Amino acid sequence: MQTKLEIDLLEQLIDLLQACFSVDEADAALKPLMQQLFPKEVGAIYVISPSQNLVEAIALWAPPEAIATWGALPLTSDPIFTPDECLSLRRGQAHLVEDTHHGLLCQHVRPDSSAVETLCIPMMAHGETLGVLYIGSLYRGRITQIKPLAETVAKHISLALANLKLRETLNHLRLRDPLTKLYNRRYLEESLEREIQRSIHQRLPLGLVLLHIDRFEDFNNRLGHAAGDLLLREIGLFLRSQIRECDLACRYRGEEFLILLPEASLETTQQQAEQLRQNIKLLNFQHRGQALGSMTISCGVASFPEHGLTAQLLLREANAALRQAKEQGCDRIVTFPSSI
């Protein structure tokens, strides 16, 4: 039977998890509560990666000499392992080892572990396996006492992770273009406003590259929409591979894409646009075994503060520059003179 303290802690756990918007927030909320719920144990909450090939630990452990904190990766279990290495995930039920020297251990439990007992509980919700709760005890007979509590905790964490996963999926759909997987125009416009304000406060430059796939309509009409969709998806992959981690690429409209380059000067932005123009010619696009030929792009470049201090002005300048690049024959970069 659970004590009043454990019931109170479980209620806190449920309330906190329901208020979380991401796994990172859940991690921060879980740490102090897990320490209070299992003060004599070391443990980890593992989540299965989207590829279903790896199980990774949310950092919740305490070494024997410092069990008052669950602050990093577990010493008694590997931080990352495959689902096949955990007997509870393979069997779909809790796996208890009451003697680590003679019992059948999961492969992720380290052979030199200081734990004398281990418990793995698969975390499942809505028919999907989300991860595993691992607990190692340093005291004989302790796991049997805490197993019912651990199973209750695992159940609530499972439901919370399932809700977080659904929320992240819906958020992804709201912000991403479904075809190219790049950010959509709505997210771009929100980010542009935010980056302009940051640039104003920190006196930093900001670059924009608006690019267009040259003669895309002719290509689409000649080979069909399936080939056109393939090309757009490949362009999305290409752009993600070409930008910095801090940059933002989005599908702006149709066959046009916009790249936002925080802290990039006008010269740096022009160089990036030119590199994109050259590199895209090296790609070999194919559809159903048929070579689609090399592609070219035209780019309009604008920069904060040279071409304006608002999102509306910067987008207007980039659009005008792109229009001129297409009028001049495509496969080129155009930047207008500074407007200030």
Side-chain angles (χ1 to χ4, degrees):
M1 181 178 295
Q2 295 168 2
T3 67
K4 184 179 184 304
L5 175 60
E6 290 172 344
I7 294 173
D8 290 343
L9 291 172
L10 277 174
E11 290 178 351
Q12 292 181 44
L13 177 73
I14 296 168
D15 290 342
L16 283 171
L17 289 175
Q18 289 177 344
C20 291
F21 285 96
S22 68
V23 174
D24 288 339
E25 284 188 2
D27 180 9
L30 286 168
K31 290 179 182 179
L33 289 173
M34 295 299 287
Q35 168 58 41
Q36 295 179 71
L37 284 165
F38 306 106
K40 298 180 180 180
E41 287 68 50
V42 294
I45 296 170
Y46 291 88
V47 292
I48 295 179
S49 65
S51 66
Q52 300 291 311
N53 294 323
L54 289 175
V55 184
E56 300 177 276
I58 298 178
L60 296 174
W61 72 276
E65 66 270 21
I67 58 172
T69 174
W70 292 49
L73 294 176
L75 287 179
T76 57
S77 174
D78 293 330
I80 299 177
F81 56 87
T82 65
D84 287 343
E85 293 177 296
C86 181
L87 291 169
S88 76
L89 293 178
R90 285 162 59 180
R91 299 167 59 204
Q93 63 186 48
H95 181 69
L96 169 63
V97 177
E98 296 181 290
D99 187 343
T100 55
H101 295 294
H102 300 96
L104 183 60
L105 287 175
C106 295
Q107 295 179 40
H108 61 86
V109 178
R110 297 181 177 179
D112 59 348
S113 166
S114 56
V116 298
E117 298 179 329
T118 63
L119 174 65
C120 292
I121 302 174
M123 296 191 299
M124 307 175 69
H126 311 310
E128 181 181 5
T129 302
L130 302 170
V132 61
L133 170 62
Y134 166 79
I135 297 177
S137 174
L138 310 178
Y139 305 96
R140 187 78 60 192
R142 174 68 178 168
I143 289 289
T144 303
Q145 299 176 19
I146 65 171
K147 186 173 181 284
L149 174 62
E151 290 176 332
T152 301
V153 169
K155 176 183 177 181
H156 288 300
I157 295 176
S158 300
L159 292 172
L161 289 176
N163 290 335
L164 288 174
K165 184 176 181 180
L166 176 60
R167 185 176 297 173
E168 289 175 351
T169 299
L170 294 175
N171 194 48
H172 176 88
L173 294 174
R174 183 179 69 88
L175 301 177
R176 298 277 184 173
D177 171 58
L179 179 62
T180 65
K181 309 306 180 186
L182 297 176
Y183 287 110
N184 57 28
R185 181 168 178 170
R186 172 182 176 180
Y187 183 76
L188 178 279
E189 291 174 345
E190 293 175 356
S191 299
L192 179 55
E193 293 285 358
R194 182 174 62 250
E195 288 298 331
I196 287 175
Q197 291 303 313
R198 188 171 76 90
S199 296
I200 291 173
H201 292 151
Q202 300 183 18
R203 298 183 179 181
L204 294 170
L206 176 65
L208 279 77
V209 178
L210 182 59
L211 66 89
H212 176 269
I213 304 174
D214 293 333
R215 302 176 182 88
F216 178 79
E217 289 186 8
D218 293 340
F219 171 88
N220 211 24
N221 293 334
R222 179 166 50 91
L223 295 176
H225 292 292
D229 287 348
L230 170 67
L231 179 58
L232 291 172
R233 285 195 294 269
E234 292 295 326
I235 294 295
L237 291 171
F238 166 74
L239 291 179
R240 288 199 296 273
S241 71
Q242 297 292 302
I243 62 176
R244 304 170 300 173
E245 186 175 347
C246 65
D247 296 337
L248 187 152
C250 87
R251 186 180 181 188
Y252 192 60
R253 58 193 172 205
E255 61 271 25
E256 291 183 358
F257 300 83
L258 195 146
I259 301 174
L260 193 62
L261 295 92
E263 302 182 24
S265 65
L266 176 57
E267 181 181 2
T268 299
T269 304
Q270 291 170 324
Q271 291 172 351
Q272 174 69 8
E274 179 61 23
Q275 186 175 11
L276 290 171
R277 189 186 70 85
Q278 294 180 16
N279 288 349
I280 203 166
K281 295 180 181 181
L282 304 177
L283 300 180
N284 181 24
F285 298 109
Q286 291 190 353
H287 177 59
R288 296 177 179 174
Q290 178 184 359
L292 302 183
S294 61
M295 304 300 299
T296 64
I297 59 174
S298 299
C299 299
V301 170
S303 179
F304 173 93
E306 289 91 340
H307 296 104
L309 303 179
T310 66
Q312 182 179 5
L313 288 174
L314 289 173
L315 290 173
R316 187 183 69 185
E317 291 294 303
N319 271 289
L322 175 60
R323 185 165 55 250
Q324 182 169 310
K326 292 190 287 185
E327 291 172 352
Q328 292 177 357
C330 301
D331 190 19
R332 66 192 63 233
I333 311 296
V334 170
T335 306
F336 285 156
S338 172
S339 62
I340 61 173

